[in-house]
Amino acid sequence: MTRHTEPERIEALVIGAGFAGMYLLHRLRGLGIPALALEAGDGVGGTWYWNRYPGARCDVESMQYSYGFSEALQQEWNWSERFAGQPEILRYANHVADRLDLRRDICFSTRATSAHWDELGASWMVETDTGRRLIARQLILATGCLSAARLPDIPGIRDFAGKVYHTGQWPHEGVDFTGQRVAVIGTGSSAIQAIPVIAREAAELTVFQRTPNFSIPSRNGPMTEDYAGAWKQDYPARRAAARRMRTGILYNLSQTPAMSVSEAERRAEYEARWAAGGTAFMAAFSDLLTNKEANDTAAEFVREKIRGLVKNPEVAEILVPRNHPIGTKRICVDTAYYETFNLPHVRLVDVRKHPITRITAEGVEAGGATHTVDSIVFATGFDAMTGTILAIDIRGRDGVAMREAWADGPRTHLGLMVAGFPNLFLITGPGSPSVLSNMIVSIEQHVDWVCDALAHLRREGLSAMETTPKAQEDWVAQVNEVAHRTLYPQANSWYMGANIPGKPQLFMPYVGGVGTYRQICDDIAANGYPGFAFTAAEQVKAAE
Ligand code: NAP
């Protein structure tokens, strides 16, 4: 590690060069604010750079899971499928980086390790794992919500003689499972996509399931010229409409409560949505996430589908989710997931009945039996929403660590700023719609808000801004209150931090919807940023 003697000064430092970091660089450049992004990987793309597991695919349609800020960009890029796979999304990210000439402002293969607020200089002192040191007026964390991959605390992982993989840190060269005996641990979105693809290669596949999830078929297919053309002709209007939707996705969101129609009508609606595929299933009725009775009808419909798709009734019953309302854990979207369990070389182990006790040199020990395998795939998820932020030793005013400030769970104002941490901005942080939405729509909204705030600082001759503790407390209470009007808190989900032993349990994203949230943020900016405090530049100069 080389230790650079003098730290470099930069106006704005961005951490991460995924879709958020890339758009930030573009916007900051447009404002004439000198900026640099640090990126741990050796390429752009964030989530899509790391998650290269077989079958990785976005479950938001490609025409919508793409930047909307540039008409030229959205007209020139052609998607090949309704739901793009990881390689195509990564190509798109690289195309954007080239097209906007972003790489010259990205420092790759460099991880920020600490960021300490210097009160006198009103700046962030940032250290990295390469020894590069920076002093930045503004620090913007574009570190991703699902980027801190997590291996479970199962004893013996290091003893395993075969290969160990995590879906979120997949080898760039790919993995050939041909002829192998493979174990997949976990049955969340990543596993549900990977299992059917791994099953095509593996000689034997054993899936270890702790909690079954609800999954809807994607009905993915090639993009048609008609479909892409209709979007491209109408992009500005459609993007504008999507930005006002609850999820930031333009789809048919029913206004009808489920119990206000007959059982036959309900079934017909579920059948139509099941046939169309994708997450729009959850928009079949207006109250599926707020009314348990309504939710039960959708959940029971999917349970019946699972029983119909899986030939062995015992296996089907293991796959049927019962412990959470449908949609309160992230709904999964698949291609032939349930059907994969009809293949003779695919086995399912119910980890609740047969707990995994350890990993041995040979394989996975569960319920007293050893499942001998050549490779283990951990599809065990992430330290979501806070993991990447807390991985950096962040210290704000008076040396207070973010870890201390968030000891009882993340507290933010709007998911954008944290009291006591001036000039530190979060992109899609906890307390914003983020993971409950089309991430690119939420990223663009946050980046625009932050960049507008920075433009405001410059215009007004201000050097620093931060949220007031009162505004933060009010927002935390509001996030909590809105969440408890829904069924979401009824599930032990990673939204609640429940997947990480010892993590404070608190519903992290804002459930109120992308459109409502955008309006709140816009109103705050339009009204001169109530709830935020500013420092005048002269005050800092005087102190210097
Ligand atoms: P996840 O949803 O957190 O799933 C992790 C899985 O591992 C769960 O089934 C969990 O079981 C299991 N697990 C964890 N520790 C275990 C242990 N010790 N023993 C047995 N099983 C264990 O993670 P993910 O599948 O990577 O997905 C995370 C999120 O990424 C998704 O919810 C979604 O937001 C996003 N994602 C999106 C897409 C897409 O766009 N299509 C694809 C992949 C991921 P429990 O449920 O019992 O904890």
Side-chain angles (χ1 to χ4, degrees):
M1 188 177 89
T2 43
R3 190 165 172 92
H4 299 250
T5 42
E6 275 304 303
E8 301 151 64
R9 284 185 185 274
I10 185 87
E11 186 71 18
L13 185 65
V14 174
I15 314 289
F19 282 108
M22 289 200 296
Y23 181 44
L24 269 164
L25 285 181
H26 177 66
R27 280 281 338 252
L28 291 166
R29 210 180 264 172
L31 290 171
I33 297 179
L36 177 79
L38 302 178
E39 167 55 53
D42 66 4
V44 296
T47 285
W48 304 101
Y49 171 92
W50 298 104
N51 286 267
R52 300 175 189 232
Y53 61 84
R57 187 175 292 290
C58 189
D59 59 12
V60 177
E61 286 193 13
S62 315
M63 297 311 294
Q64 304 203 51
Y65 190 83
S66 45
Y67 284 125
F69 68 84
S70 160
E71 177 65 0
L73 207 53
Q74 63 191 7
Q75 289 299 333
E76 74 196 17
W77 184 261
N78 295 313
W79 295 102
S80 69
E81 290 179 279
R82 178 180 174 198
F83 295 102
Q86 174 273 331
E88 189 171 17
I89 302 174
L90 189 57
R91 278 199 300 281
Y92 171 72
N94 277 286
H95 165 76
V96 175
D98 292 337
R99 179 79 161 68
L100 303 178
D101 189 20
L102 299 177
R103 286 176 218 281
R104 63 183 157 97
D105 291 329
I106 305 173
C107 174
F108 290 106
S109 305
T110 303
R111 208 176 265 282
T113 50
S114 68
H116 294 183
W117 175 248
D118 168 33
E119 188 74 41
L120 280 181
S123 297
W124 285 95
M125 319 284 283
V126 177
E127 304 226 338
T128 68
D129 63 353
T130 62
R132 191 169 181 179
R133 294 189 298 151
L134 295 130
I135 299 179
R137 280 258 181 248
Q138 325 287 344
L139 181 63
I140 312 173
L141 301 185
T143 41
C145 296
L146 293 158
S147 300
R150 181 183 168 268
L151 280 180
D153 309 323
I154 302 172
I157 293 182
R158 284 173 195 277
D159 301 338
F160 182 57
K163 295 269 191 197
V164 170
Y165 304 100
H166 189 288
T167 48
Q169 290 173 338
W170 204 258
H172 288 199
E173 63 279 12
V175 181
D176 183 3
F177 289 112
T178 307
Q180 287 196 29
R181 295 160 299 179
V182 181
V184 173
I185 299 182
T187 50
S189 294
S190 302
I192 280 177
Q193 291 184 330
I195 284 165
V197 185
I198 295 175
R200 277 189 235 139
E201 283 179 5
E204 282 175 25
L205 173 60
T206 310
V207 175
F208 293 84
Q209 174 194 270
R210 189 164 66 185
T211 311
N213 269 302
F214 291 97
S215 187
I216 310 295
S218 72
R219 313 288 180 209
N220 188 29
M223 181 66 71
T224 64
E225 269 182 39
D226 283 356
Y227 190 70
W231 268 91
K232 286 190 176 185
Q233 268 177 21
D234 199 22
Y235 244 142
R238 290 188 186 197
R239 294 284 199 194
R243 290 182 189 118
R244 289 191 299 272
M245 300 287 287
R246 190 177 72 201
T247 56
I249 306 171
L250 190 61
Y251 54 35
N252 179 8
L253 182 65
S254 168
Q255 301 301 321
T256 309
M259 308 317 288
S260 70
V261 301
S262 71
E263 196 186 331
E265 283 172 86
R266 258 195 319 269
R267 172 163 287 277
E269 185 61 27
Y270 291 142
E271 286 289 3
R273 301 240 174 192
W274 182 266
T279 56
F281 181 84
M282 285 308 297
F285 294 99
S286 60
D287 55 349
L288 292 184
L289 288 166
T290 49
N291 176 349
K292 181 67 168 51
E293 192 187 6
N295 186 286
D296 284 344
T297 66
E300 200 45 41
F301 176 86
V302 176
R303 291 188 192 112
E304 273 176 38
K305 287 289 182 195
I306 297 170
R307 292 184 181 110
L309 289 167
V310 181
K311 290 192 182 126
N312 181 329
E314 281 173 31
V315 175
E317 282 317 307
I318 299 173
L319 288 166
V320 164
R322 291 185 188 80
N323 80 344
H324 61 280
I326 186 170
T328 56
K329 280 189 150 195
R330 172 65 139 65
I331 193 103
C332 301
V333 172
D334 71 278
T335 300
Y337 173 64
Y338 294 115
E339 296 88 326
T340 299
F341 292 93
N342 295 330
L343 299 172
H345 66 294
V346 177
R347 272 193 313 243
L348 180 64
V349 176
D350 180 353
V351 168
R352 292 212 190 256
K353 260 200 189 142
H354 309 287
I356 300 176
T357 39
R358 62 185 304 109
I359 308 286
T360 65
E362 289 77 36
V364 182
E365 208 176 81
T370 297
H371 300 265
T372 305
V373 292
D374 303 302
S375 294
I376 303 176
V377 175
F378 285 94
T380 43
F382 302 88
D383 184 352
M385 305 202 74
T386 57
T388 51
I389 298 171
L390 296 178
I392 305 169
D393 173 24
I394 302 174
R395 285 165 199 262
R397 180 165 290 132
D398 302 325
V400 173
M402 188 72 88
R403 278 196 172 277
E404 277 171 56
W406 284 4
D408 297 327
R411 308 180 88 73
T412 71
H413 184 27
L414 300 165
L416 279 160
M417 293 201 93
V418 182
F421 295 80
N423 283 2
L424 176 79
F425 298 90
L426 312 176
I427 303 299
T428 63
S432 73
S434 63
V435 291
L436 296 176
S437 71
N438 178 349
M439 283 304 294
I440 298 194
V441 167
S442 286
I443 282 169
E444 288 185 339
Q445 186 250 332
H446 263 195
V447 170
D448 286 340
W449 193 93
V450 169
C451 288
D452 290 350
L454 297 188
H456 173 80
L457 290 183
R458 294 197 131 201
R459 240 187 348 260
E460 303 295 322
L462 303 165
S463 68
M465 80 182 271
E466 72 179 287
T467 179
T468 65
K470 167 83 171 72
Q472 176 167 291
E473 286 320 296
D474 289 350
W475 183 250
V476 168
Q478 195 173 331
V479 169
N480 198 34
E481 196 263 320
V482 192
H484 282 85
R485 272 191 248 150
T486 72
L487 303 174
Y488 278 108
Q490 294 189 18
N492 288 323
S493 65
W494 59 254
Y495 297 138
M496 298 282 296
N499 64 326
I500 306 291
K503 187 165 173 170
Q505 305 263 314
L506 168 124
F507 194 82
M508 293 185 282
Y510 172 68
V511 188
V514 165
T516 308
Y517 174 81
R518 174 185 303 275
Q519 195 59 54
I520 294 169
C521 292
D522 286 353
D523 289 348
I524 287 173
N527 292 319
Y529 298 93
F532 291 88
F534 294 88
T535 313
E538 302 81 66
Q539 282 171 252
V540 177
K541 283 212 189 84
E544 279 171 350

